[in-house]
Amino acid sequence: MKTFPMFLKMQGRRVVIAGGGEQAAQKARLILKTEAEIVLLAPELDEELTDLVAAGRARQETAAPTVDSFAGAALVFIATGCVGLDSALQTLAREAGAVVNVVDQPDLCDAYTPSIVDRDPVVVAIGTEGTAPVLGRMLKTQVEEMLEPRLGDLARLAGRLRDSVAAHVPAEGRRGFWRWMFGAEPRQLHARGSDHRAARLLKSAIAAGGAPDARDGGAICLIGAGPGAADLLTLRAVQRLQEADVIFTAPGVDPAVLELARRDAERVTETAQGAALPWPAGCLDTRIVAEARRGRSVVRLLPGAVTKAETNAFERLCGDGIELETVPGIASAADDEAQLSPCRESAAF
């Protein structure tokens, strides 16, 4: 990545928009979704921006901009419609230490405006580093179709319930509770407009100490990383990596695969045979099961495919209370060749 995506707190902060026409109005519409103070630098404003100033939603400064005009701004948008003036104002804003976006001039930008899917407080921002804005808008449309319009209301409900969950649901069961809330019946009810039924169901689960389908033990998922490339992982494998609390990675797994995992998951790299301090025989499997018995979701990443022997070993260790799942992975061309070769030999005779 050449740019780093981050969400900024905007309450009470100042956003400067240089320009008074349609391009400036487009940026103003975007910032109006936040709680920032909007300052418009322009001697004249179009009707839309004039109405914003009259309504007290923005403030106009008509004097010629100086470095001080941009000092202390959280963000600066430059949108005068004149290439030369935009460049001059960008120089002033940069001198003031501001983060600058110049409309339609990516080479002058410190930051790019993403395509935004707004389900406040759930916000999805899609960026292409200024290289393909049309692609960003196409992806936005796809995400819009994925997320129900009232998802933000459900997220706000979760915020109101967070203290109650912390007080009544044991720590090891909280992640499972939230997974159930956002992935099962409560979300389905809420999406259909049954807010009160969803809330009653959630409050009953909190009073009972957790989600109705919560496990006493954790879960172990054995994932075959397949031929090696991260983009060959199955969808289920990616889902389990996103849910994992701890990930054990065997030697031979492409490090790029871990880019698809939860950022805050604990990671344990299994030492290769012959290297310093290898895991003693049997100790690694015991450690994995012990993590699951703590109520954690555990993933073990293996190169290639998951063998039957590997699955059988964990079936013997897990016993009751721990869910064991195998995601075998896509077979490599070498595996296919090995499976086909006996048939070819038979045909030769």
Side-chain angles (χ1 to χ4, degrees):
M1 293 190 299
K2 294 181 180 178
T3 58
F4 183 73
M6 179 175 285
F7 291 93
L8 303 176
K9 291 184 177 181
M10 300 304 292
Q11 185 177 21
R13 304 183 74 181
R14 189 164 61 97
V15 173
V16 175
I17 302 175
E22 173 57 25
Q23 287 185 335
Q26 291 172 5
K27 299 305 180 184
R29 291 175 210 140
L30 182 64
I31 299 304
L32 281 170
K33 294 177 177 290
T34 75
E35 299 179 12
E37 174 195 0
I38 299 175
V39 178
L40 301 168
L41 303 185
E44 296 181 358
L45 303 176
D46 72 7
E47 185 176 354
E48 179 181 354
L49 295 176
T50 299
D51 289 344
L52 283 181
V53 173
R57 301 296 306 278
R59 176 166 57 85
Q60 181 185 11
E61 293 185 3
T62 59
T66 66
V67 172
D68 290 341
S69 302
F70 303 102
L75 286 172
V76 170
F77 293 100
I78 298 177
T80 69
C82 172
V83 173
L85 181 56
D86 281 353
S87 179
L89 292 175
Q90 185 256 13
T91 300
L92 292 175
R94 290 288 299 277
E95 188 175 341
V99 176
V100 184
N101 173 272
V102 183
V103 175
D104 292 337
Q105 297 193 61
D107 290 343
L108 297 181
C109 292
D110 300 312
Y112 305 103
T113 304
S115 294
I116 294 175
V117 179
D118 185 4
R119 300 289 190 273
D120 184 36
V122 178
V123 179
V124 180
I126 302 163
T128 61
E129 297 186 346
T131 60
V134 172
L135 174 61
R137 287 192 290 271
M138 292 172 67
L139 294 174
K140 165 186 162 67
T141 300
Q142 294 175 15
V143 177
E144 290 276 11
E145 295 170 353
M146 291 169 51
L147 303 181
E148 63 268 27
R150 302 181 67 251
L151 183 59
D153 294 334
L154 184 63
R156 277 189 287 272
L157 175 60
R160 294 193 296 272
L161 293 176
R162 186 164 295 278
D163 288 344
S164 184
V165 171
H168 299 287
V169 178
E172 62 273 13
R174 290 171 197 162
R175 189 176 297 278
F177 175 87
W178 298 119
R179 277 200 297 260
W180 169 71
M181 175 176 177
F182 293 119
E185 188 177 4
R187 181 172 176 179
Q188 295 163 7
L189 287 170
H190 194 277
R192 294 200 300 264
S194 300
D195 304 34
H196 297 302
R197 286 184 60 194
R200 285 197 300 270
L201 186 63
L202 289 164
K203 290 175 182 177
S204 295
I206 292 170
D213 61 349
R215 300 179 296 265
D216 291 333
I220 296 173
C221 184
L222 307 177
I223 296 178
D231 60 354
L232 292 178
L233 281 181
T234 64
L235 177 60
R236 181 173 296 182
V238 175
Q239 290 172 337
R240 297 300 177 262
L241 285 169
Q242 286 289 322
E243 296 169 356
D245 297 308
V246 56
I247 300 169
F248 290 81
T249 306
V253 174
D254 186 346
V257 171
L258 290 172
E259 291 296 317
L260 301 173
R262 251 182 69 200
R263 294 290 179 189
D264 57 344
E266 181 182 340
R267 303 183 183 192
V268 180
T269 302
E270 301 172 18
T271 309
Q273 284 290 339
L277 301 176
W279 283 88
C283 286
L284 178 61
D285 292 354
T286 302
R287 164 76 186 278
I288 291 171
V289 173
E291 292 289 349
R293 292 200 186 283
R294 294 174 55 195
R296 308 181 82 186
S297 294
V298 185
V299 161
R300 188 181 187 199
L301 267 175
L302 298 159
V306 179
T307 65
K308 185 65 175 175
E310 188 81 30
T311 304
N312 290 341
F314 277 99
E315 285 177 345
R316 289 191 297 269
L317 287 169
C318 286
D320 295 333
I322 296 178
E323 181 179 318
L324 178 64
E325 180 182 13
T326 299
V327 181
I330 299 173
S332 67
D335 293 335
D336 291 341
E337 183 74 21
Q339 293 173 10
L340 288 171
S341 58
C343 299
R344 290 175 178 171
E345 290 173 4
S346 298
F349 288 99

